[in-house]
């Protein structure tokens, strides 16, 4: 409300030409404004209201109060399973993504002839459409005829049955995702190339070895990129759908060991057509992601180093 | 470099460089193999007969090579149709984004209006909220409008822009000097002229990114076609491929041939737009 009154007050203070410019401005951004209201804000509000109803899309929604939420939190074993699966995946995948992303970026940061070719090769798996890459991995991980168990066999190791073994479903999906780590590596590479060369020169003069330089210079200078990747990765984890759907199967695979949260929302909303329940699940996910994101942001002041800040204090 | 030579004084500078290069290339090659082997596996399986597919030990180089697997994919499922459908959707989405994203980005980059900064922040914050919250109500909205099993739900939103692309193009427009706008205004141009004749031509590199990102997004999208499309004749490549998996679980050679076909268009695009893409990704890196 206060924002609105401030807005109208500032409107009256504008000159005629400024008002014309402002009108033009609203006109130019109107496609987004309309889209924001119709495809984003409206649906979010609707989703909130829907989450208090029971509705299978035919007929009219029936108000059930907090029943959906109550059921989700107290009686729904699949909800607990979906949360566990998604969090486990996040804990497994995100640190590996950071470590491998940075290592590959360091490897790609060498000044060697033909390095561009390697950058392309590493990036290529990231370009493969998710459905296709998931299918490739289902085949690679085939327990009998698959590539991975064949190769493990060379060393006398009998590989697990991967996507048919509840214990190995998540590691399999993590592996599939890491195949696309070239996408993150390129972002870390951009971060690496932004580190001023003088820092390394100064450290070299002081007698720091390569490992010390990496730990004391490279990593701190990369923390803003790591932070950015973590926030995006966190949001992305909760949206993981295609690999789970293709590799684990639409119902979540053996013992629901691949029942990612998004897959569960899809099942409830569009397979069993329980719109209200699906909306409640989606809202819980959104609130959860927002809390996690705020926590990551809060924690950032302890470990993220922004060079611009240093300039403020001489 | 100089620090390492301190630790390996006997190698000498040139020897050290050669040592570094050899170990550098070794690491690069090993990693390249790790990334490429699954792709090779996909491609070689795509060229095998069913018997060759299930051979133990596997045939690394299929003999004879079954090139007709690719034509079989087109006979067994309407893959040509999926291709056309996806290209059509990509085209409409690109047109939609080009119109809406440039207009909105220009508004945010060049015009002053009350609430501009707040609206811009609101737009950026929508990037942080997973759009899946809106999935159910969107589906209900489109189904009440009778748009299930049509392309409307998959194209209409593009005409309202995409926050990420708007941000990208707006940042690009901000780097164009204001003097150009002012000179044009003095010459009697109106705001749309400035947008159309001055800013837009200078924004071309960013527009390339809009095209590439939109194409890749549409080509990869799976969840939305899955929800909105029922008629196999309307399926996209991604959806068709998963449908194929469900129908013929064991025909891995044909499934891999289909996967190869699915990755070719984005791959071609990637090779053409590699420079812009990787540059654009570092812009993306500034988002946080």
């Amino acid at each position: 409300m206060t924002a609105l009154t401030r807005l109208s007050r500032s409107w009256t203070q504008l000159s005629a030409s400024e008002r014309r410019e402002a009108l033009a401005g609203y006109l130019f951004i109107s496609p987004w404004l309309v889209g924001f209201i119709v495809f984003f804000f409206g649906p979010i509000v609707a989703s909130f209201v829907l989450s208090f109803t029971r509705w299978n899309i035919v007929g009219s929604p029936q108000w059930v109060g907090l029943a959906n939420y109550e059921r989700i939190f107290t009686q729904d074993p699949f909800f607990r399973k979906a949360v566990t699966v998604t969090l486990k995946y996040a804990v497994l995948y995100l640190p590996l993504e950071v470590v491998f992303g940075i290592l590959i970026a360091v490897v790609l940061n060498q000044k060697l002839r033909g390095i561009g070719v390697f950058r392309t090769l590493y990036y290529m798996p990231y370009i493969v459409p998710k459905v296709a890459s998931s299918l490739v991995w289902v085949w690679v991980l085939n327990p009998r005829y698959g590539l991975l168990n064949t190769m493990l066999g060379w060393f006398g190791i009998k590989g697990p049955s991967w996507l048919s073994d509840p214990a190995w479903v998540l590691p399999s999906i993590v592996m599939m995702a890491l195949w696309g780590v070239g996408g993150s590596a390129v972002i870390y590479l951009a971060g690496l190339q932004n580190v001023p060369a003088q820092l390394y020169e100064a450290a070299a003069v002081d007698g720091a070895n390569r490992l010390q330089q990496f730990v004391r210079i490279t990593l701190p200078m990369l923390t803003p990129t790591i932070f950015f990747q973590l926030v995006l990765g966190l949001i992305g984890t909760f949206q993981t759908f295609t690999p789970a759907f293709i590799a684990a199967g639409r119902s979540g695979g053996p013992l629901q060991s691949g029942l990612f949260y998004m897959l569960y929302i899809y099942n409830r909303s569009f397979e069993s057509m329980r719109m209200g329940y699906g909306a409640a699940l989606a809202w819980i996910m959104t609130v959860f992601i927002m809390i996690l994101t705020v926590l990551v942001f809060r924690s950032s002041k302890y470990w993220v180093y922004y060079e611009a800040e240093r300039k403020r204090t001489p | 470099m100089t620090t390492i030579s301190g630790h390996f004084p006997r190698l000498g500078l040139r020897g050290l460089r050669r040592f570094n290069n050899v170990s550098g290339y070794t690491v690069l090659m090993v990693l390249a193999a790790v990334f490429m082997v699954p792709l090779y596996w996909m491609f070689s399986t795509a060229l095998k007969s069913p018997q060759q597919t299930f051979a133990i030990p596997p045939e690394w180089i299929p003999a004879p090579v079954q090139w007709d697997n690719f034509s079989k994919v087109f006979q067994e499922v309407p893959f040509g149709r999926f291709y056309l459908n996806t290209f059509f959707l990509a085209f409409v989405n690109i047109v939609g984004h080009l119109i809406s994203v440039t207009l909105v980005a220009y508004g945010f980059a060049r015009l002053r209006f009350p609430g501009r900064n707040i609206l811009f922040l609101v737009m950026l914050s929508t990037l942080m909220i997973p759009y899946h919250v809106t999935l159910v109500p969107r589906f209900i909205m489109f189904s009440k409008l009778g748009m299930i099993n049509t392309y409307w739900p998959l194209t209409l939103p593009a005409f309202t822009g995409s926050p990420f692309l708007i941000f990208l193009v707006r940042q690009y427009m901000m780097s164009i000097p204001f003097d150009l706008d002012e000179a044009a205004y003095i010459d009697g141009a109106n705001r749309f002229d400035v947008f159309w004749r001055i800013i837009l031509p200078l924004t071309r590199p960013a527009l390339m990114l809009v095209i590439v990102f939109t194409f890749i997004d549409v080509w990869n999208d799976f969840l939305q076609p899955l929800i909105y499309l029922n008629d196999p004749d309307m399926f996209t490549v991604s959806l068709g491929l998963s449908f194929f998996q469900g129908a013929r679980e064991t025909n891995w050679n044909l499934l891999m041939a289909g996967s190869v076909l699915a990755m070719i268009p984005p791959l071609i695009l990637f090779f053409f737009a590699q420079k812009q893409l990787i540059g654009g990704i570092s812009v993306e890196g500034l988002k946080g």
Side-chain angles (χ1 to χ4, degrees):
Chain A
M1 221 46 213
T2 49
L4 266 184
T5 49
R6 202 160 0 115
L7 206 69
S8 65
R9 200 180 313 129
S10 61
W11 181 255
T12 51
Q13 285 164 354
L14 296 180
S15 73
S17 81
E18 282 171 333
R19 272 185 208 180
R20 247 178 287 131
E21 180 176 350
L23 276 180
Y26 293 127
L27 206 62
F28 270 101
I29 67 160
S30 61
W32 169 72
L33 266 181
V34 171
F36 174 71
I37 293 162
V38 176
F39 296 122
F40 197 86
F41 189 70
I44 281 193
V45 173
S47 174
F48 188 64
V49 177
L50 266 177
S51 71
F52 300 105
T53 66
R54 179 178 300 146
W55 194 22
N56 63 356
I57 211 163
V58 282
S60 48
Q62 183 193 344
W63 187 266
V64 293
L66 285 169
N68 286 333
Y69 289 98
E70 204 186 311
R71 198 158 153 204
I72 289 171
F73 284 119
T74 58
Q75 295 167 37
D76 186 347
F78 294 116
F79 168 74
R80 240 165 283 161
K81 187 77 199 179
V83 171
T84 323
V85 165
T86 313
L87 284 180
K88 252 193 205 162
Y89 174 80
V91 169
L92 272 173
Y93 171 68
L94 289 177
L96 288 174
E97 189 257 8
V98 172
V99 171
F100 282 110
I102 292 177
L103 284 181
I104 290 169
V106 168
V107 170
L108 284 177
N109 201 26
Q110 301 174 91
K111 284 177 190 61
L112 293 175
R113 198 174 298 174
I115 197 85
V117 176
F118 288 100
R119 198 174 56 188
T120 307
L121 289 180
Y122 296 0
Y123 194 75
M124 234 155 78
Y126 183 69
I127 298 290
V128 181
K130 278 280 167 310
V131 172
S133 71
S134 304
L135 279 176
V136 170
W137 275 92
V138 174
W139 178 227
V140 166
L141 296 175
N142 185 300
R144 244 176 98 84
Y145 308 102
L147 172 79
L148 192 57
N149 279 1
T150 302
M151 290 172 91
L152 286 174
W154 297 344
F155 303 99
I157 301 167
K158 197 188 171 311
S161 31
W162 302 110
L163 291 163
S164 338
D165 182 343
W168 284 98
V169 168
L170 267 186
S172 304
I173 296 179
V174 168
M175 204 154 48
M176 290 163 64
L178 283 177
W179 191 45
V181 80
S184 325
V186 170
I187 295 173
Y188 287 118
L189 183 63
L192 279 183
Q193 290 174 344
N194 282 338
V195 180
Q198 310 95 279
L199 293 181
Y200 294 112
E201 286 155 19
V205 169
D206 290 345
N209 65 29
R210 260 201 190 173
L211 186 67
Q212 286 170 324
Q213 289 182 21
F214 181 77
V215 174
R216 299 289 174 84
I217 299 174
T218 313
L219 274 186
M221 295 299 280
L222 270 187
T223 47
T225 316
I226 298 174
F227 172 67
F228 166 79
Q229 285 291 92
L230 268 184
V231 171
L232 282 195
L234 211 56
I235 298 173
T237 299
F238 279 86
Q239 296 180 1
T240 303
F241 178 77
T242 312
F245 186 94
I246 301 283
R250 60 171 72 201
S251 53
L255 298 177
Q256 274 77 41
S257 49
L259 186 69
F260 276 73
Y261 200 88
M262 196 54 224
L263 191 58
Y264 186 49
I265 294 184
Y266 166 82
N267 275 325
R268 276 286 179 254
S269 314
F270 302 106
E271 293 279 327
S272 37
M273 282 294 165
R274 289 165 63 179
M275 296 293 160
Y277 203 80
L281 285 172
W283 256 92
I284 292 169
M285 170 177 88
T286 309
V287 170
F288 192 68
I289 291 179
M290 288 200 291
I291 292 172
L292 275 183
T293 312
V294 168
L295 284 180
V296 176
F297 265 93
R298 280 277 171 81
S299 79
S300 71
K301 66 166 178 254
Y302 298 107
W303 62 276
V304 179
Y305 171 79
Y306 288 108
E307 214 189 351
E309 275 171 23
R310 191 193 53 181
K311 283 173 186 150
R312 247 182 270 142
T313 49
Chain B
M1 292 273 180
T2 45
T3 53
I4 290 252
S5 66
H7 290 264
F8 300 96
R10 265 159 296 143
L11 273 170
L13 208 61
R14 183 170 300 166
L16 173 79
R17 189 161 304 144
R18 195 169 305 141
F19 169 78
N20 272 343
N21 282 359
V22 169
S23 61
Y25 279 119
T26 311
V27 173
L28 281 168
M29 298 290 241
V30 169
L31 275 173
V34 170
F35 280 113
M36 285 301 113
V37 159
L39 281 181
Y40 177 77
W41 183 247
M42 154 162 92
F43 200 71
S44 69
T45 307
L47 297 173
K48 287 176 182 174
S49 70
Q51 290 87 338
Q52 290 168 310
T53 309
F54 295 110
I56 293 179
E59 281 182 35
W60 287 93
I61 299 163
V65 174
Q66 312 281 334
W67 287 106
D68 59 336
N69 278 351
F70 289 102
S71 55
K72 266 194 207 140
V73 173
F74 283 93
Q75 289 154 14
E76 294 239 344
V77 278
F79 219 81
R81 185 80 217 197
F82 300 160
Y83 251 85
L84 273 181
N85 292 341
T86 320
F87 273 114
F88 172 75
L89 281 175
F91 175 76
V92 177
N93 272 279
I94 286 170
V95 170
H97 272 166
L98 282 179
I99 297 171
S100 55
V101 166
T102 52
L103 286 172
V104 176
Y106 177 79
F108 276 125
R110 282 304 207 243
L111 300 172
R112 278 162 305 177
F113 48 88
R116 181 177 75 171
N117 293 342
I118 297 166
L119 286 173
F120 191 66
L121 271 179
V122 167
M123 193 191 79
L124 285 186
S125 67
T126 63
L127 281 172
M128 306 293 281
I129 296 172
Y131 85 97
H132 295 101
V133 211
T134 64
L135 210 60
V136 169
R138 265 200 210 196
F139 177 80
I140 292 167
M141 179 171 74
F142 284 120
S143 83
K144 292 292 165 199
L145 291 169
M147 289 177 177
I148 299 303
N149 207 25
T150 70
Y151 284 151
W152 289 112
L154 305 176
T155 49
L156 219 47
F159 289 85
T160 67
S162 122
F164 170 61
L165 295 176
I166 292 170
F167 172 76
L168 200 81
V169 175
R170 181 246 187 199
Q171 296 305 92
Y172 199 88
M173 285 180 176
M174 296 287 275
S175 68
I176 300 169
F178 265 90
D179 309 357
L180 293 175
D181 306 38
E182 275 157 22
Y185 285 128
I186 289 168
D187 289 344
N190 64 33
R191 283 189 186 92
F192 191 77
D193 289 332
V194 172
F195 165 70
W196 185 250
R197 310 251 289 266
I198 304 207
I199 302 296
L200 216 48
L202 289 171
T203 316
R204 212 174 287 150
L207 299 188
M208 274 302 299
L209 275 183
V210 170
I211 293 174
V212 173
F213 280 140
T214 306
F215 182 87
I216 289 178
D217 270 357
V218 173
W219 197 269
N220 286 347
D221 193 10
F222 177 63
L223 183 53
Q224 294 200 77
L226 176 69
I227 290 170
Y228 290 116
L229 303 177
N230 310 319
D231 179 1
D233 271 344
M234 296 179 70
F235 281 2
T236 61
V237 169
S238 280
L239 186 56
L241 206 55
S242 88
F243 182 70
F244 191 22
Q245 178 205 17
R248 308 220 191 310
E249 184 72 61
T250 48
N251 279 11
W252 279 106
N253 53 341
L254 295 191
L255 262 177
M256 289 300 105
S259 300
V260 170
L261 289 173
M263 72 173 279
I264 287 174
L267 210 63
I268 291 175
L269 190 71
F270 167 67
F271 279 116
F272 277 108
Q274 215 185 132
K275 277 232 167 65
Q276 283 100 329
L277 251 179
I278 293 186
I281 287 155
S282 40
V283 175
E284 190 183 4
L286 295 173
K287 198 163 58 177

